[in-house]
Amino acid sequence: LFYCFGLVSLCLVACSDPGIVKAAGAGGLDDGVGVERNGYAGVSTTENNITARAGWRYCDLCSVYQPPSAVHCPECNVCIEGYDHHCPWMGQCIGKKNFTSFMMFNCSWLFYLLYAIIWVTFLGQAGKKYQPHGNPTELGG
């Protein structure tokens, strides 16, 4: 049960989009007033108004405007919204869109670790109490 849950959550994290900030021209819809609706959440794309929005900044490496919670990941070379960290074991950034799956994966192995500790500590000790042949020193041999 732990193995299946851990494997599913691992696949969800490793194969899902962490929240990559996409460029304005990548399929965005212009509403005619110079506002892109593809990840910029109503931020005006004109140069004068983009800096007026609090917290938005331009990433020179990705050539995109980052929302306030986005950070450029040097490992993946993309900007990630809600960036938490780059996980070397997953080979993926952990961001806004895959954070829940990442926490599910962490909980699955922590619960397995807790299960293993309880098994070894308490249930493993119950098996040691029953010794059908006894101690050789007690039998006079």
Side-chain angles (χ1 to χ4, degrees):
L1 182 65
F2 292 114
Y3 176 76
C4 292
F5 186 71
L7 186 63
V8 167
S9 59
L10 172 67
C11 290
L12 284 173
V13 174
C15 298
S16 65
D17 175 22
I20 297 172
V21 178
K22 299 187 180 14
L29 301 173
D30 188 19
D31 66 358
V33 188
V35 177
E36 290 284 335
R37 301 208 187 269
N38 183 36
Y40 292 121
V43 173
S44 176
T45 57
T46 61
E47 202 58 43
N48 294 337
N49 291 334
I50 194 73
T51 56
R53 305 289 181 179
W56 286 75
R57 57 198 176 275
Y58 187 74
C59 177
D60 291 329
L61 299 169
C62 295
S63 300
V64 296
Y65 286 100
Q66 297 176 339
S69 64
V71 174
H72 182 84
C73 176
E75 306 288 329
C76 298
N77 202 26
V78 291
C79 290
I80 306 294
E81 187 174 2
Y83 182 81
D84 187 59
H85 69 284
H86 181 86
C87 185
W89 294 280
M90 302 281 181
Q92 174 98 337
C93 285
I94 306 302
K96 182 179 182 179
K97 291 184 180 178
N98 66 353
F99 186 76
T100 303
S101 300
F102 179 71
M103 291 308 293
M104 285 178 16
F105 174 72
N106 281 338
C107 287
S108 69
W109 71 262
L110 283 173
F111 283 137
Y112 178 71
L113 181 65
L114 182 65
Y115 170 77
I117 289 171
I118 290 171
W119 180 266
V120 168
T121 304
F122 299 111
L123 301 175
Q125 296 296 328
K128 285 185 178 180
K129 290 180 183 176
Y130 177 71
Q131 296 179 353
H133 299 293
N135 191 350
T137 57
E138 292 175 355
L139 297 176

